[in-house]
């Protein structure tokens, strides 16, 4: 067998074995990425459904109170049902101070800001990485959330006075207003220990 072909076979075998080992260890990055995206689809769908239901049944002021009470619970429930993931939302301009980004999330979103300025569509932006912290490895995934028309009632620049008053009462340090349609409102942020 010519040496070139032999070497090609050895390299291909090494690649396959590495992929199998990583998969065995739950560290197949592409598979984790796909899993994160599927979880976001479910979580985002639950949040949006609950938000629309609340606005329709009780109006936007009550919907602010609803988001305040229910949004963190919906995230906690999504995490519990996910099989080991931590699922939540963050923003460079958070409403809930508990949603302020850590360094990893801030860096990912700052990078998205640059890519949006360069013309990339918000909905396509995501960042996936396997990170190590204090000797523990985890998979982290951040995906940008665009601002839609529905969001403007509570995150736009012409918020109705009664809605604005309710937001101020619940979130005195609110930074999450003044967004325009299509801008990045924040991001889904997921992590899974490996
Ligand atoms: C009825 C008012 C209302 C509407 C409409 C609304 N939000 Fe919010 N949003 C809130 C409230 C209240 C919070 C804080 C929830 C909490 O305490 O976790 C929030 C929090 C968030 C967060 C978490 C980060 C942060 O700033 O605390 C994101 C991301 C977000 N909203 C995106 C959106 C998007 C995208 C839409 C449109 C699809 C939207 N929101 C529509 C009221 C609203």
């Amino acid at each position: 067998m010519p040496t070139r072909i032999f070497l090609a076979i050895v390299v291909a075998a090494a690649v396959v074995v590495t992929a199998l080992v990583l998969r065995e260890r739950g560290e197949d990055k592409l598979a984790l990425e796909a899993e994160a995206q599927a979880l976001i689809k479910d979580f985002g769908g639950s949040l949006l459904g609950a938000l629309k239901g609340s606005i329709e049944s009780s109006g936007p002021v009550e919907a602010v109170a609803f988001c305040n009470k229910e949004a963190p619970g919906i995230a906690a429930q999504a995490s519990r049902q996910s099989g080991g993931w931590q699922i939540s939302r963050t923003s460079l301009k958070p409403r809930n101070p508990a949603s302020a980004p850590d360094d990893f999330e801030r860096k990912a979103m700052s990078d998205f800001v640059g890519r949006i300025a360069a013309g990339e569509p918000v909905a396509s932006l995501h960042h996936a990485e396997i990170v190590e912290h204090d000797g523990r490895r985890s998979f982290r995934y951040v995906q940008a959330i665009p601002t839609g028309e529905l969001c403007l009632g509570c995150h736009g620049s012409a918020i109705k006075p009664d809605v604005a008053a309710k937001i101020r009462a619940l979130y005195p340090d609110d930074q999450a207003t003044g967004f325009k349609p299509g801008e990045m409102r924040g991001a889904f942020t997921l992590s899974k220990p490996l």
Side-chain angles (χ1 to χ4, degrees), residues 51 63 67 89 94-96 99 145-146 150-151 154-155 171 185:
L51 175 65
C67 285
R89 297 181 300 168
R95 172 152 295 165
N96 185 338
S99 297
I145 305 175
L150 170 71
C151 321
C154 297
H155 295 295
Y171 303 95
R185 171 59 267 273

Side-chain angles (χ1 to χ4, degrees), residues 6-181:
F6 176 72
L7 280 177
I9 291 172
V10 169
V11 169
V15 168
V16 169
V17 167
T18 308
L20 287 175
V21 167
L22 288 180
R23 174 161 300 206
E24 185 64 24
R25 285 162 60 185
E27 295 191 16
D28 180 336
K29 206 170 148 208
L30 280 180
L32 286 163
E33 207 172 310
E35 211 182 315
Q37 283 163 358
L39 288 167
I40 287 173
K41 223 166 158 220
D42 283 352
F43 173 51
S46 306
L47 273 179
L48 200 59
L51 175 65
K52 282 183 179 159
S54 173
I55 293 174
E56 273 162 28
S57 65
S58 338
V61 175
E62 273 310 304
V64 173
F66 176 84
C67 285
N68 171 259
K69 273 217 312 277
E70 303 297 335
I74 294 174
Q77 192 188 359
S79 302
R80 268 198 310 278
Q81 292 171 346
S82 69
W85 292 78
Q86 185 65 42
I87 304 173
S88 60
R89 297 181 300 168
T90 184
S91 175
L92 291 171
K93 291 168 71 182
R95 172 152 295 165
N96 185 338
S99 297
D102 65 12
D103 287 346
F104 182 88
E105 293 158 339
R106 184 183 307 280
K107 194 163 165 292
M109 286 188 288
S110 302
D111 173 57
F112 295 164
V113 170
R115 289 164 62 185
I116 291 163
E120 284 190 52
V122 176
S124 69
L125 297 172
H126 60 268
H127 176 72
E129 201 174 315
I130 292 174
V131 298
E132 196 165 325
H133 196 66
D134 292 338
R136 278 193 295 264
R137 289 162 69 77
S138 61
F139 175 76
R140 298 204 59 176
Y141 183 86
V142 179
Q143 180 174 311
I145 305 175
T147 307
E149 292 292 334
L150 170 71
C151 321
L152 301 179
C154 297
H155 295 295
S157 33
I159 299 171
K160 287 195 187 124
D162 53 349
V163 176
K166 186 77 184 175
I167 293 171
R168 248 194 326 276
L170 290 169
Y171 303 95
D173 299 322
D174 181 34
Q175 301 179 51
T177 59
F179 288 89
K180 296 187 185 63

